[in-house]
Amino acid sequence: MSFFVKMSTSDLMENLREELTCFICLDYFTSPVTTECGHSFCLLCLLRSWEEHNTPLSCPECWRTLESPHFQPNERLGRLAGIGKQLRSQEKLKEILNLLHKKRKETQVILTHEKERVILCKEETKACKQVVVSEYAKMHQFLKEEEQLQLQLLEKEERENMKKLRDNEIKLTQQIRSLSKMIEQIESTCQSSIIESFEDMKGTLERSEPLLLQCPEATTTGLTLCRITGMREMLKKFSTDITLDPATANAYLVLSEDLKSVRHGGIRQHLPDNPERFDQSATVLGAQIFTCGRHYWEVEVGNKTEWEVGICKDSVSRKGNLPKPPGDLFSLIGLKIGDDYSLWVSSPLKGQHVREPVHKVGVFLDYESGHIAFYNVTDESLIYSFPPTSFQEALRPIFSPCLPNEGTNTGPLIICSPNSYI
């Protein structure tokens, strides 16, 4: 009878594991979020899935098309997944030996990866140095004497990252030795009688529980964005006064009287459905049309949890909510979920996680050279620079305050006046 009870408990554990498993990575949820259609996924799994499939955004499980990258954190499911992970660690005694062998191999692989990161860290540092030099060249060698200072700061960051990698390598080596010693103890214990083996192994496992529950932690060597001293002073020379075009605004958007700010009103207004107006996307275009020259403007995004600013072709589709073809839209999207903040560029859609939210964005266009770039105005750093493109038709600024989120994200996008660039 006890055998069938044990099997029944095992079946229940398997059912619980399936309910707490992400559909994409097939593992327990990590920072789970729930989409509009009610399905839940790991946050990073969902973002990577959207990035790989390159719109239209849809649920990876039921394939329902989603209007925007909108989902809610599921803290209760995250806590349940954490409990599931703890239950999973209570496995059968005979499987412990295989687990330790596998853990040792995985630790050796991570150690190999850590050594590769040492080389990658050097390459990333060199690449960041090249970005600094490139941006100084684009700014006509503006304040060239600051270049040496920036390179020194990057070298200091490289030294700090190298030290972290070396320390982590030492810790991983020590853990491999401890696991090897534990395996030898268990193999030796298995030679004795079954009862004595069980008691000795139980004691060994209890003493080694902290080590078994410890996962090797890889060192993160994320480089900060390259700060460019004097950036705003140079860009201000190309300041352009931008206003919004009411004829293109979605019926849910509310524009200010001076046409300098836009927010989502939550109520559809009675406006004519003219060909220029966006009917599905919460979007409005700038009134200015660019066919030549250099232009720069700044947008205050404040503490919004979701927003989008950028540049698009004047011929961009206004109807429906289908993804824009590559080359029709060059935009920057900010997305904040809980304490996690990420920036996305499109199209195609590409994302990166950042440490701090961006509150004011600078947009730069050089029509003749095919150059479009976004800047963090607060700390004067480059966010992203698109590869050079040959523009064949007129371009316009584009803005979206995105949808409200249960009483949040109701603030406006504000276009800063050129005389306020101080």
Side-chain angles (χ1 to χ4, degrees), residues 14-184:
E14 180 62 22
N15 291 337
L16 177 61
R17 187 193 67 79
E18 293 178 356
E19 292 297 326
L20 299 178
T21 297
C22 173
F23 179 81
I24 300 175
C25 68
L26 303 180
D27 201 352
Y28 282 94
F29 288 110
T30 300
S31 301
V33 296
T34 303
T35 62
E36 297 173 356
C37 57
H39 294 113
S40 299
F41 311 90
C42 299
L43 172 59
L44 291 181
C45 291
L46 182 59
L47 294 181
R48 289 171 181 167
S49 175
W50 285 347
E51 182 176 358
E52 291 173 359
H53 289 86
N54 190 20
T55 64
L57 300 181
S58 61
C59 173
E61 186 168 348
C62 68
W63 296 104
R64 171 183 171 183
T65 301
L66 306 177
E67 294 183 2
S68 63
H70 175 72
F71 37 79
Q72 294 291 331
N74 197 329
E75 297 179 356
R76 181 181 296 274
L77 185 59
R79 291 193 294 269
L80 289 175
I83 296 174
K85 291 180 181 179
Q86 295 179 4
L87 293 175
R88 183 178 61 178
S89 64
Q90 308 299 321
E91 297 178 340
K92 295 179 181 180
L93 183 61
K94 65 175 64 177
E95 297 174 348
I96 293 296
L97 186 59
N98 292 335
L99 173 64
L100 294 177
H101 278 294
K102 180 180 179 180
K103 194 174 184 67
R104 181 174 64 176
K105 292 180 180 179
E106 292 175 347
T107 305
Q108 290 173 337
V109 171
I110 292 178
L111 180 58
T112 302
H113 290 170
E114 289 299 316
K115 293 180 179 179
E116 294 175 352
R117 283 193 179 95
V118 174
I119 300 175
L120 181 60
C121 179
K122 294 181 179 180
E123 295 176 351
E124 290 178 342
T125 301
K126 292 179 181 179
C128 193
K129 291 179 181 178
Q130 293 173 357
V131 170
V132 174
V133 175
S134 175
E135 286 305 312
Y136 270 86
K138 292 176 183 177
M139 296 302 173
H140 304 289
Q141 303 299 320
F142 183 74
L143 293 179
K144 187 175 181 179
E145 63 276 7
E146 292 290 334
E147 178 183 345
Q148 187 62 35
L149 176 60
Q150 298 303 319
L151 294 178
Q152 292 176 358
L153 293 176
L154 288 173
E155 290 173 355
K156 179 181 178 182
E157 183 176 358
E158 177 187 7
R159 291 193 296 269
E160 293 175 353
N161 285 334
M162 292 289 290
K163 184 178 183 301
K164 292 179 181 179
L165 290 171
R166 287 193 294 268
D167 293 343
N168 203 28
E169 181 179 357
I170 293 174
K171 293 180 181 179
L172 290 173
T173 302
Q174 293 174 347
Q175 188 174 3
I176 290 176
R177 293 175 180 173
S178 299
L179 289 172
S180 300
K181 183 177 180 180
M182 189 190 309
I183 291 174
E184 293 176 359

Side-chain angles (χ1 to χ4, degrees), residues 342-367:
S342 59
L343 292 176
W344 298 74
V345 293
S346 67
S347 56
L349 191 65
K350 294 187 294 185
Q352 65 173 338
H353 293 272
V354 293
R355 299 175 182 175
E356 299 293 336
V358 176
H359 300 292
K360 183 180 288 189
V361 176
V363 185
F364 177 72
L365 165 67
D366 187 338
Y367 192 96

Side-chain angles (χ1 to χ4, degrees), residues 23 26 49 51 79 90 95 110 144 158 173 177 228 245 252 266 270 290 297 302 309 316 322 332 337 378 381 395 407:
F23 179 81
L26 303 180
S49 175
E51 182 176 358
R79 291 193 294 269
Q90 308 299 321
E95 297 174 348
I110 292 178
K144 187 175 181 179
E158 177 187 7
T173 302
R177 293 175 180 173
I228 306 173
D245 183 0
Y252 283 89
H270 297 288
F290 305 127
W297 60 94
V309 298
V316 69
L322 295 176
L332 177 69
I337 301 177
T378 304
S381 62
L395 303 178

